[in-house]
Amino acid sequence: MAVTLTEQAAKHVANYITKRGKGIGLRLGVRTSGCSGMAYKLEFADELAEDDQIFECHGVKVLVDPKSLPYLDGTELDYAREGLNEGFKFNNPNIKDQCGCGESFKV
């Protein structure tokens, strides 16, 4: 099982952690929400939880809780700039369907 970051996403996370002045990585998870059933949770992590799974890509740690990992296995997190919009983009091979707004998904 693995979760990865593109080089661009890793640079963005590393720069943000440097600006914050603290942090050990990025915490990625899922929660029940949205019109399709599941939504991503994304936050900067300041400490490890006992049961976190740790993946390291381009020098940045990604922390995933064990309940979220089956939904995120194989996911690549990218950071993209498209016109005036920029943000994280999830390339998740487990998605079977997602809502029109792109905020939630089904596996």
Side-chain angles (χ1 to χ4, degrees), residues 92-105:
N92 186 340
N94 304 303
I95 291 178
K96 302 294 183 225
D97 191 22
Q98 63 185 31
C99 68
C101 66
E103 293 295 320
S104 63
F105 62 94

Side-chain angles (χ1 to χ4, degrees), residues 27-97:
R27 183 174 303 282
L28 178 60
V30 295
R31 60 184 165 81
T32 303
S33 177
C35 48
S36 290
M38 312 225 41
Y40 295 107
K41 289 189 309 187
L42 192 62
E43 61 189 12
F44 292 93
D46 294 327
E47 57 188 44
L48 276 169
E50 187 176 313
D51 57 354
D52 279 339
Q53 297 291 311
I54 304 165
F55 305 97
E56 189 161 340
C57 297
H58 304 286
V60 173
K61 289 184 176 81
V62 180
L63 314 173
V64 181
D65 66 271
K67 289 181 181 177
S68 297
L69 190 54
Y71 303 105
L72 298 170
D73 184 32
T75 297
E76 177 188 63
L77 186 59
D78 192 11
Y79 191 81
R81 200 171 270 164
E82 297 171 359
L84 298 176
N85 298 319
E86 64 181 294
F88 288 105
K89 183 176 180 180
F90 298 86
N91 299 313
N92 186 340
N94 304 303
I95 291 178
K96 302 294 183 225
D97 191 22

